[in-house]
Each structure stands twice: as structure tokens, then as C-alpha cells.
Amino acid sequence: MPVPKAEFDALHPCDFYTPAELFEDDQLYTVYEIARLLQGLDPDAELDRETENVLLDWAIPWVMRHSDDLVVAEPRDDDEPGYYGVKE
């Protein structure tokens, strides 16, 4: 159900990092690591499954939105996710 804006003390811009701001040029990241980085966490930070799922809800659209600026590497093994990095 919608909530009136007046119920909140502050409203903030909905700004997100660009891939160049978020990633190291010579590194590739899984969507799980991207989810952490978007929240200002270390890529290997421990998260419970529920929190990780919420963060993935933000990370997956971010990857899709920035797909023109990203490269993708196939998983090295069947049980490993794909990797994303900054397009050169």
C-alpha cells in the first residue's frame, strides 16, 4: 500500500554506482559480489541467505541496466556463477 512521503524524515536520491566506480578494471565479479559492493560491503562479506536474496533483487536489475558497460565471463565450472567486469 502506498505511503505518504510526509511520513518520512528524509528522502534521498536514488543514485547507483556505475560499473567503472564499482569495479576494479582488472577484476571480474559474480552477481553475489556485485550485490555486496552495491551496499558498500566487501565482496566476500558473510550474509545470511535472506539478506543476500534482498540484495540480489537490487543487483540483477543493476547488471541489466549497465549491460552495455560490462563484459561477461562464462562460469569455469557447472556449480559456479558467471562473472562480470568493466568493458574496456
Side-chain angles (χ1 to χ4, degrees):
M1 174 170 226
V3 177
K5 290 179 182 178
E7 288 188 18
F8 296 89
D9 293 333
L11 299 173
H12 308 281
C14 189
D15 293 332
F16 290 99
Y17 296 102
T18 65
E21 294 170 327
L22 196 63
F23 298 157
E24 296 293 326
D25 290 340
D26 62 344
Q27 300 293 308
L28 295 171
Y29 303 86
T30 67
V31 70
Y32 303 100
E33 294 164 336
I34 294 167
R36 288 167 174 80
L37 290 170
L38 286 169
Q39 296 300 313
L41 302 171
D42 284 336
D44 58 354
E46 288 291 322
L47 298 175
D48 61 72
R49 175 63 78 192
E50 191 172 304
T51 301
E52 186 166 65
N53 287 339
V54 170
L55 297 185
L56 285 174
D57 286 345
W58 288 86
I60 293 168
W62 183 90
V63 168
M64 294 172 64
R65 163 67 178 86
H66 292 286
S67 63
D68 289 343
D69 300 321
L70 299 172
V71 294
V72 179
E74 294 290 328
R76 295 174 289 188
D77 294 313
D78 289 340
D79 63 343
E80 186 177 69
Y83 289 86
Y84 302 86
V86 177
K87 186 183 286 185
E88 293 183 21

